[in-house]
Amino acid sequence: MKLAKRVEALTPSSTLAITAKAKELKAAGHDVIGLGAGEPDFNTPQYIIDAAVKSMEEGHTKYTPAAGLPALKEAVIGKLKQDQGLDYKASEIFVGTGAKHVLFTLFQALLDEGDEVIIPTPYWVSYPEQVKLASGEPIYVTGHEESGFKLTPDQLEKAVTNKTKAVIINSPSNPTGAMYSPDELKALGDVALKHDLLIVSDEIYEKLIYDGASHTSIAELSPELKAQTFVINGVSKSHSMTGWRIGYAAGDQTLIKAMTNLASHSTSNPTTSAQYGAIAAYTKEDGSVETMRQAFEERLNASYEKLIQIPGVSCVKPQGAFYLFPNVRETVEMCGFTDVDSWVEALLEEEKVALVPGSGFGSPDNVRLSYATSLDQFLAALERIERFVLTKIKG
Ligand SMILES: Cc1ncc(COP(=O)(O)O)c(C=O)c1O
């Protein structure tokens, strides 16, 4: 079968190969600890499940408007007002089947052949593929560990060409957990305004932040920046609702309308009962978002020092999300490997710990460890990694 060029050009997910191998080992009876998870390990809070069940029992089992129920748009507007102090109209909100599909729809509606989108590295794996699927051109700008993996205004300025249409800012970041301060966002925003770049601000990890950090959306910083920004968010990570597939965008209504037209011919609408669940998530409260956040913070604090004590491992301490993204280049060499990918493979083979190589995130000297797993499991995994490294160094 001859496939379309657009799918042939797709880079397979970097987590896939390692996950498949981990599954194989598990099926063969091995005690594998997987640290590849991109989702919270808690169940969705009960009040959200109850609201979705009730909606179905009451007969809300039919199509809804393509960009979401008016009541959900109102709930999203209320959330953005309460958390960010931002005012949006319903015509400026698009609800889709997860933030991933919202971003996909956005790039489809925004990009023409050859339009460039600036993507700071390390990046979430889907950004480049989604830009390419929309005939756009990803332009990578390397985030250095010395600057906390963050894009600088100077780097942004240098990456802009007359084809640049947008820049993606992901704060807190997957995979680094880095967060931009209001001053850093303002400085990037000035460059975006100067060159009329759409700022795609992916804030999906907004609620998972630690050490007293507070989240700022770039859209909050001035009316000009609000007009220039598309805020992307959703309930997947904040409310442990990854399987429900509800995310949203807030921004310019012309683009929202185009995305809505696209959705009307692709998804029709996000799943109706999931929308009712999301309404509950944003209009009610039982403390579980904060309880989950605290659990992640405890895991981060209990594991970070242990991680950086492993010989040859350094790690910028994350401020948000639920990943550690250490640089393992030195330890890989000390262990006698030439590249991180084969070190990761040997670690899985010998110590049965599955990590995600950084190459898939555009950062080949790093690995990603997700602490969306119990603290005991996470600490046991770190012990195995340390044992693996010490054995290799000695051997
Ligand atoms: C940075 C980032 N953005 C967006 C998403 C998409 O989230 P969802 O489609 O579950 O709403 C993810 C999920 O892993 C992510 O890590």
Side-chain angles (χ1 to χ4, degrees):
M1 165 87 67
K2 177 86 185 88
L3 296 176
K5 286 192 193 77
R6 84 176 70 83
V7 291
E8 281 184 340
L10 280 178
T11 309
S13 159
S14 60
T15 51
L16 229 64
I18 203 85
T19 311
K21 186 119 192 239
K23 271 197 188 140
E24 217 176 88
L25 287 168
K26 234 181 202 164
H30 293 287
D31 167 27
V32 179
I33 306 181
L35 301 183
E39 56 186 348
D41 53 318
F42 306 100
N43 198 8
T44 303
Q46 193 59 43
Y47 75 96
I48 297 173
I49 295 174
D50 291 344
V53 170
K54 185 161 170 270
S55 77
M56 286 188 276
E57 286 171 349
E58 287 175 351
H60 298 296
T61 53
K62 304 289 194 284
Y63 294 134
T64 74
L69 288 160
L72 179 50
K73 288 190 177 184
E74 282 312 312
V76 167
I77 289 168
K79 182 260 174 241
L80 289 164
K81 178 71 179 169
Q82 186 179 314
D83 290 352
Q84 275 77 41
L86 290 166
D87 288 302
Y88 287 98
K89 300 192 287 271
S91 57
E92 295 171 313
I93 305 292
F94 171 89
V95 180
T97 54
K100 183 182 273 184
H101 197 258
V102 172
L103 283 160
F104 180 88
T105 310
L106 165 64
F107 292 127
Q108 291 291 327
L110 180 71
L111 301 179
D112 270 323
E113 180 111 32
D115 283 344
E116 295 177 357
V117 177
I118 296 173
I119 303 179
T121 71
Y123 48 74
W124 177 49
V125 291
S126 291
Y127 297 140
E129 302 314 310
Q130 293 197 347
V131 167
K132 287 190 260 174
L133 282 168
S135 309
E137 187 83 38
I139 302 297
Y140 304 107
V141 180
T142 307
H144 297 292
E145 280 166 65
E146 310 81 71
S147 46
F149 289 113
K150 290 184 266 192
L151 176 70
T152 66
D154 209 33
Q155 285 181 310
L156 179 57
E157 181 73 57
K158 287 197 179 103
V160 174
T161 72
N162 59 6
K163 289 188 183 164
T164 314
K165 202 92 188 253
V167 54
I168 300 177
I169 297 177
N170 174 212
S171 177
S173 151
N174 173 9
T176 68
M179 285 178 72
Y180 289 82
S181 71
D183 284 349
E184 289 166 338
L185 291 172
K186 174 79 176 53
L188 290 172
D190 287 345
V191 180
L193 284 170
K194 180 176 154 199
H195 296 285
D196 193 22
L197 313 180
L198 183 77
I199 303 164
V200 179
S201 180
D202 182 347
E203 304 175 14
I204 195 92
Y205 291 97
E206 172 201 356
K207 295 289 177 192
L208 300 176
I209 56 177
Y210 315 117
D211 216 8
S214 68
H215 168 82
T216 302
S217 169
I218 192 165
E220 287 172 48
L221 298 177
S222 71
E224 293 74 24
L225 280 171
K226 176 176 178 253
Q228 201 74 21
T229 300
F230 242 63
V231 173
I232 307 291
N233 208 329
V235 289
S236 284
K237 319 286 177 173
S238 57
H239 293 77
S240 200
M241 291 174 70
T242 46
W244 296 63
R245 313 310 303 129
I246 297 290
Y248 56 87
D252 171 78
Q253 61 183 7
T254 311
L255 191 45
I256 293 284
K257 188 155 189 278
M259 291 166 67
T260 307
N261 285 341
L262 266 171
S264 75
H265 292 294
S266 53
T267 56
S268 283
N269 62 262
T271 303
T272 304
S273 53
Q275 292 190 61
Y276 280 94
I279 293 171
Y282 278 155
T283 55
K284 296 186 181 139
E285 159 75 76
D286 74 346
S288 46
V289 171
E290 175 57 15
T291 304
M292 292 190 276
R293 189 202 68 77
Q294 283 174 10
F296 285 124
E297 180 159 31
E298 188 196 344
R299 294 173 194 174
L300 171 63
N301 287 333
S303 60
Y304 176 73
E305 295 298 328
K306 291 200 165 58
L307 174 71
I308 57 172
Q309 273 163 23
I310 299 173
V313 173
S314 63
C315 185
V316 178
K317 191 168 182 193
Q319 292 175 284
F322 40 68
Y323 311 104
L324 287 154
F325 198 62
N327 185 318
V328 293
R329 166 60 49 197
E330 204 183 320
T331 201
V332 164
E333 281 165 17
M334 286 158 74
C335 290
F337 292 86
T338 49
D339 63 283
V340 172
D341 289 22
S342 41
W343 182 86
V344 166
E345 227 172 275
L347 176 68
L348 177 56
E349 199 73 51
E350 294 174 35
E351 284 290 351
K352 312 291 181 285
V353 177
L355 311 181
V356 188
S359 46
F361 306 96
S363 199
D365 289 344
N366 298 73
V367 288
R368 194 189 75 174
L369 290 69
S370 160
Y371 50 92
T373 185
S374 75
L375 182 55
D376 286 352
Q377 282 277 290
F378 197 67
L379 292 176
L382 290 182
E383 270 171 32
R384 291 187 194 187
I385 298 170
E386 183 166 39
R387 185 169 63 202
F388 173 77
V389 169
L390 294 177
T391 311
K392 289 285 171 211
I393 293 174
K394 271 192 213 133

